[in-house]
Amino acid sequence: MKVYVEGYGCSLNQADTAAIKALLKKNGCEFVNAEKADIIIINTCAVKTPTENKMLRRIKELEAIKKKEAKIIVFGCLPKIHPEAVRKIDKSVILIGPKLEDLCRFFGFAEKGFSPNMDMEYENKLVATIPIARGCLGDCTYCCVKNARGKLKSYKVNEIKDGVRKALQKGAKEIRLTAQDVGCYGFDIGTNIVELLGYVLEIEGEYRIRLGMMNPAHVIDIKKDLADMLREERVYRFLHLPVQSGSNKILKLMNRAYSAEDFIKLVEFLKNKVRDITIATDIIVGFPYEEEEDFRRTVELLETVKPDITNVSKYGVRPRTLAAKFKQVDPKIKKFRSSVVSKLALRLSYENNKMLVGRKGKILVVEKGCKGNFVGRMQNYKPVVIRENRIGEFVGVEIVEAHPCYLEGVLAT
């Protein structure tokens, strides 16, 4: 059977795409261009309206170039979040939600579904993304992904550890532990992310682990032990903690289960305990009922916390979410607020990065850059661009120039 696969979305989706390719390869499928394929699989994301629109455009493009008798499988979150939109393109499209067991059943594969220790076909052999859980414990009023992925299901520690060991044996140097919410890993099976890290780090070798996104509400109770673990050399000093808003009124409407003050205290604690830690966060502007005072509090929170990375989104209505029924903010106001926060985020990132100029340290070089250069990661996961091809190596560098989104380095003498 001739197949074509492409995937989009979060690191969890990227891991699913790698798993799909490995399953197809194992079962004797031949990979070809979309125009020649008998079956086309597109692994979709639909967390935001612009992303959904991008997916729909791509499905239309695939419909236009596929062989007449070929089938298109739309996999991932979109079939669960907005199946009607896909059906409008072509009723013959096959919709399969984000469960590999359903895809295996469709093809008649012997595999029962996903396991963290299964074979994966990664684009970058140096970077392995390993899901440690599916679903989450949250009930955010704006989130449509919970309708696609459901409640938390954590994978067993031994499965994850075996998956990490297998990835390292195949040449991976960076291990990304991912989930819809890494922070609540293990809550359903009597463990947590800190204990999991302890078991994984029993594996010998020179490698790095990067933790995925964590809801701040779930980090607060484990912050001390987590901070201790982040000081371990093989764990990147990096946390992605989406605050979403600096207004407690808005956080309550979002059902985020923490206050702005909780978030500020959490970040202050982590910065005091973990030297040079990189804090990434997310902001949603223009959430329903967001007034000027609420927006001002968000700006103040960012100026207080000074995150290294801030991902900014304009709120958009998603299907079958509670927030879709709320009073919406004028799109022009959303656009203005998004511009203000985006400019602030870049300024804060640049100011933080400038403080690293002159610093010497070790980076792990894991990918090619876009201009013939190469990109490595510092201990705090900040990207450093160098000219020399040292892919797969740990090398000493000195930071010589800062930019809002990356650093420039030269090999240290």
Side-chain angles (χ1 to χ4, degrees), residues 216-279:
H218 298 132
V219 177
I220 291 171
D221 289 339
I222 60 171
K223 63 182 181 181
K224 184 179 182 302
D225 292 337
L226 182 60
D228 290 341
M229 195 60 72
L230 289 171
R231 291 196 293 270
E232 217 281 350
E233 185 182 15
R234 289 176 294 170
V235 181
Y236 281 122
R237 297 178 179 181
F238 168 91
L239 287 180
H240 180 190
L241 305 171
V243 64
Q244 307 298 12
S245 176
S247 163
N248 288 334
K249 182 192 85 177
I250 298 300
L251 288 173
K252 188 173 182 180
L253 287 168
M254 290 177 169
N255 197 28
R256 288 293 285 173
Y258 56 83
S259 68
E261 292 77 17
D262 291 335
F263 181 81
I264 292 171
K265 290 178 182 177
L266 173 61
V267 174
E268 287 177 347
F269 176 86
L270 291 167
K271 286 187 174 183
N272 285 333
K273 295 294 183 180
V274 185
R275 182 175 181 265
D276 290 338
I277 187 172
T278 291
I279 298 293

Side-chain angles (χ1 to χ4, degrees), residues 122-148:
Y122 298 110
E123 294 292 329
N124 184 345
K125 304 300 182 184
L126 292 169
V127 180
T129 303
I130 299 179
I132 61 175
R134 304 276 167 168
C136 72
L137 292 177
D139 195 22
C140 303
T141 58
Y142 56 82
C143 183
C144 57
V145 178
K146 64 183 178 182
N147 298 327

Side-chain angles (χ1 to χ4, degrees), residues 39-76:
I39 292 183
I40 295 172
I41 302 175
I42 175 171
N43 186 9
T44 59
C45 173
V47 64
K48 303 174 186 177
T49 302
T51 308
E52 177 184 305
N53 292 337
K54 178 182 177 181
M55 297 295 97
L56 296 173
R57 285 194 301 270
R58 184 54 182 156
I59 293 167
K60 289 179 182 177
E61 291 170 357
L62 292 171
E63 279 285 338
I65 65 175
K66 75 178 180 66
K67 296 191 301 185
K68 185 177 181 180
E69 66 275 17
K71 297 178 181 178
I72 292 182
I73 296 176
V74 178
F75 185 85

